[in-house]
C-alpha cells in the first residue's frame, strides 16, 4: 500500500489499513443473498453483529472521539468513543515505536472476550466486541466489504 | 496490507493467558529522582502535568520546548471544534526538557483539553511534581470551567502549580486572569506566547523555580521533623 503523499504527517498516521478508496472489490458477504444491503453505518454495524458468529456489538467513532453509530446491542456511551479515540491515538504512536508506519489493528484481549479496533479511512475508528474464539479472518473480510460505507456513510 | 500477518497475530493472541499471574518479582517502585553514581551524574527527573482547557496551547508548549521528539496524539477535529482549530489531542503529548549542566530532567505530560477525554488526565496525573496549567487569555468563555478544574486538580494532587497565561504579554493581565481562576497568592503566574519557543522556555524556567521552591520547603520541613539531622 502506498502512502498518500498529499496527506500531512499527522494525518498520514491515520490512514487506515485499507482506505475505502483503495480496497479491492469487496467479496460479497455470505449473507448477501438473505439480507438487504445496509445503506447506513448503523445498519452495517447491526448486520456485522448479527452475521458474524461471536460478535456482540460494534461502535463507529470519529478519530477525535465522537460516537457516530453503534449497533443496537451497544449502549450509546459518549465515553466509549472518546476512549477509542485515545487508545487509537496512543496505539498509532506505539506502532511507530515498533518501527511501523501504519496501525492496522488494536486488540484488547480480556477475560470476557476481545475488543478489536481498526482505523476506517483517515477519520474514523471501528470497534467490535466479540467472543474470544471469533473467526477473525472472516470478521475482517466482512468489515472490509463494508469499509466504504463505514468510512463515508 | 498483509491479511496473513494481521490475522495470524490476532488469532495467536486471542484468549491468551495472562502473563503476569506472578506478581512477586514485579517492580512497582517509581523511577523518579533516581540518584545515580558518581555524584556528577546525579539526575533528578520530575514529572510535569501540562493541562488546561481545549485549545489553550498545551501541545504548543510541549512542542516548543521539548528536546526530544514529541509523542503527539493530535488528530483532525470534526464538528464545531474544527472551527476552533484543525487538530486536537486525544490521548497525550509527551516531551522532555533537560538542563544542560544541572542534570535535572523534566518529563512533560500533556493532557487533552476536552472534557470527554478527562479520563486521560486521571491516568496521567499520578505522581506529578508540578502542574503547568495553560489558559488562553483571549478565550474568556473557557475561564470559569478552567478555574473549577484547576482548583479541584490541585486540591487532589497537592503539588505546586505554574499558571501559563497564553496569548498574553502583560503581567498584570495574567495575574488578573489567574486570580479569576482562583489561583492562590503564592502560585506562579506567567504570561506567554506559546507558539514562540523562547516564551515556552520562560514557562519552563518558572516550572524549575517552582520545583526548587517546593524542594527547599520539603527539605526544611524534613529538617524540622528529623532531630538527627539538626545535630
Ligand atoms: N496567536 C497565537 N496562537 C497560538 C499561541 N499558542 C498556541 N496558538 C495556537 O492556538 C492553537 C491551540 O494550540 P494547541 O497547542 O494545539 O492547544 P491545546 O491546548 O494542545 O489544544 P487541545 O489539545 O486540543 O486541547 C494552535 O492553533 C496554536 O497554533 C500563541 O501564543 N499565539
Ligand atoms: Mg493538545
Amino acid at each position: 500500500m502506498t502512502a498518500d503523499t498529499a496527506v500531512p504527517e499527522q494525518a498520514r498516521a491515520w490512514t487506515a489499513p485499507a482506505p475505502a478508496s483503495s480496497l479491492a472489490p469487496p467479496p460479497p458477504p455470505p449473507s448477501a443473498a438473505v439480507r438487504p444491503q445496509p445503506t447506513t453505518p448503523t445498519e452495517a454495524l447491526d448486520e456485522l453483529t448479527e452475521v458474524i458468529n461471536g460478535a456482540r456489538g460494534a461502535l463507529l467513532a470519529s478519530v477525535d472521539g465522537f460516537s457516530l453509530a453503534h449497533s443496537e446491542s451497544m449502549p450509546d456511551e459518549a465515553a466509549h468513543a472518546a476512549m477509542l479515540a485515545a487508545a487509537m491515538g496512543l496505539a498509532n504512536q506505539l506502532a511507530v515505536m515498533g518501527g511501523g508506519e501504519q496501525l492496522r489493528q488494536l486488540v484488547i484481549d480480556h477475560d470476557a472476550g476481545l475488543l478489536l479496533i481498526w482505523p476506517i479511512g483517515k477519520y474514523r475508528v471501528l470497534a467490535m466486541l466479540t467472543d474470544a474464539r471469533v473467526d477473525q479472518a472472516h470478521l475482517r473480510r466482512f468489515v472490509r466489504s463494508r469499509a466504504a460505507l463505514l468510512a463515508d456513510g | 496490507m498483509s491479511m496473513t500477518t494481521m490475522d495470524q497475530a490476532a488469532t495467536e493472541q486471542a484468549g491468551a493467558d495472562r502473563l503476569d499471574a506472578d506478581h512477586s518479582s514485579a517492580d512497582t517502585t517509581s523511577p523518579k529522582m533516581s540518584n545515580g553514581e558518581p555524584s556528577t551524574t546525579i539526575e533528578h527527573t520530575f514529572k510535569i502535568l501540562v493541562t488546561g482547557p481545549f485549545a489553550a496551547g498545551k501541545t504548543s508548549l510541549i512542542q516548543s520546548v521539548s528536546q526530544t521528539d514529541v509523542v503527539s496524539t493530535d488528530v483532525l477535529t470534526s464538528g464545531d471544534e474544527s472551527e476552533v482549530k484543525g487538530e486536537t489531542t486525544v490521548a497525550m503529548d509527551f516531551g522532555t526538557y533537560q538542563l544542560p549542566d544541572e542534570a535535572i530532567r523534566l518529563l512533560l505530560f500533556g493532557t487533552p483539553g476536552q472534557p470527554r477525554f478527562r479520563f486521560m488526565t486521571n491516568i496521567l496525573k499520578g505522581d506529578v511534581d508540578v502542574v503547568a496549567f495553560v489558559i488562553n487569555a483571549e478565550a474568556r468563555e473557557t475561564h470559569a470551567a478552567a478555574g473549577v478544574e484547576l482548583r479541584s486538580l490541585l486540591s487532589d494532587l497537592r503539588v505546586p502549580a505554574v499558571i501559563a497565561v497564553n496569548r498574553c504579554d502583560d503581567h498584570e493581565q495574567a495575574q488578573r486572569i489567574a486570580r479569576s481562576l482562583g489561583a492562590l497568592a503564592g502560585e506562579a503566574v506567567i504570561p506567554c506566547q506559546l507558539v514562540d519557543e523562547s516564551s515556552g522556555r520562560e514557562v519552563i524556567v518558572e516550572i524549575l523555580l517552582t520545583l526548587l521552591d517546593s524542594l527547599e520547603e520539603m527539605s526544611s520541613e524534613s529538617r524540622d521533623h528529623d532531630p538527627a539531622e539538626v545535630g
Side-chain angles (χ1 to χ4, degrees):
Chain A
M1 191 161 90
T2 54
D4 180 356
T5 46
V7 180
E9 192 60 35
Q10 278 296 340
R12 188 139 29 106
W14 284 102
T15 307
S21 57
S22 74
L23 288 173
S31 64
V34 292
R35 288 181 69 103
Q37 285 274 327
T39 57
T40 64
T42 304
E43 284 174 16
L45 299 185
D46 280 332
E47 179 198 40
L48 270 168
T49 309
E50 283 162 33
V51 165
I52 302 290
N53 225 332
R56 296 188 205 141
L59 174 67
L60 186 68
S62 64
V63 291
D64 62 338
F66 290 109
S67 173
L68 300 174
H70 59 91
S71 64
E72 216 175 315
S73 57
M74 292 281 284
D76 188 12
E77 289 262 11
H80 291 173
M83 287 192 290
L84 287 177
M88 280 303 255
L90 268 186
N92 270 299
Q93 293 299 318
L94 290 169
V96 173
M97 175 179 120
E101 286 179 6
Q102 285 187 339
L103 180 71
R104 293 170 177 169
Q105 169 173 266
L106 179 60
V107 179
I108 310 296
D109 181 350
H110 56 97
D111 59 343
L114 298 176
L115 175 57
L116 303 165
I117 311 173
W118 305 281
I120 300 287
K122 260 187 346 211
Y123 306 106
R124 295 185 176 183
V125 176
L126 173 66
M128 290 216 59
L129 282 171
T130 72
D131 295 341
R133 298 290 162 201
V134 72
D135 179 348
Q136 292 190 41
H138 177 50
L139 173 55
R140 291 183 65 88
R141 275 195 300 279
F142 204 109
V143 166
R144 199 170 291 192
S145 75
R146 297 291 180 249
L149 177 59
L150 293 172
D152 304 320
Chain B
M1 183 170 56
S2 142
M3 282 288 294
T4 342
T5 329
M6 288 182 299
D7 293 333
Q8 255 171 8
T11 312
E12 279 164 18
Q13 285 308 309
D17 291 333
R18 290 184 60 154
L19 299 177
D20 63 345
D22 175 11
H23 291 274
S24 58
S25 61
D27 178 9
T28 54
T29 53
S30 159
K32 299 171 56 170
M33 291 199 62
S34 52
N35 289 353
E37 284 180 283
S39 59
T40 48
T41 64
I42 286 177
E43 189 186 84
H44 297 294
T45 299
F46 298 99
K47 178 174 174 180
I48 313 303
L49 186 73
V50 179
T51 189
F54 173 52
K58 305 174 290 294
T59 300
S60 301
L61 170 61
I62 293 176
Q63 301 268 15
S64 75
V65 300
S66 181
Q67 295 161 337
T68 49
D69 286 349
V70 173
V71 175
S72 158
T73 62
D74 274 30
V75 303
L76 299 169
T77 46
S78 63
D80 293 347
E81 286 161 9
S82 62
E83 280 160 34
V84 180
K85 63 191 185 101
E87 291 191 343
T88 191
T89 307
V90 294
M92 65 185 284
D93 301 302
F94 178 82
T96 64
Y97 187 91
Q98 183 149 8
L99 277 182
D101 304 320
E102 312 277 340
I104 287 182
R105 189 166 58 137
L106 304 182
L107 306 181
L108 306 165
F109 287 79
T111 71
Q114 289 107 334
R116 66 180 178 279
F117 296 119
R118 182 66 40 82
F119 61 90
M120 281 308 307
T121 306
N122 292 336
I123 292 171
L124 297 172
K125 73 185 181 186
D127 239 3
V128 155
D129 294 297
V130 171
V131 170
F133 196 87
V134 184
I135 183 96
N136 177 353
E138 293 165 10
R140 304 188 73 96
E141 71 285 358
T142 65
H143 292 185
V148 174
E149 175 66 18
L150 172 67
R151 292 328 318 166
S152 106
L153 191 62
L154 293 181
S155 74
D156 171 20
L157 297 180
R158 301 186 173 282
V159 296
V162 170
I163 295 154
V165 183
N166 192 18
R167 307 197 193 208
C168 175
D169 294 312
D170 180 47
H171 275 270
E172 295 257 307
Q173 192 201 357
Q175 285 290 349
R176 264 199 310 278
I177 290 171
R179 274 198 302 275
S180 79
L181 299 186
L184 306 178
E187 271 163 5
V189 178
I190 179 153
C192 50
Q193 298 286 350
L194 292 175
V195 280
D196 174 9
E197 194 180 318
S198 63
S199 186
R201 240 180 279 121
E202 285 172 21
V203 176
I204 293 292
V205 169
E206 204 60 50
I207 290 171
L208 289 164
L209 292 173
T210 301
L211 267 172
L212 284 179
D213 278 353
S214 83
L215 288 178
E216 259 167 32
E217 224 165 83
M218 272 161 56
S219 70
S220 74
E221 267 169 27
S222 73
R223 267 201 306 278
D224 292 349
H225 289 99
D226 186 355
E229 290 250 346
V230 180

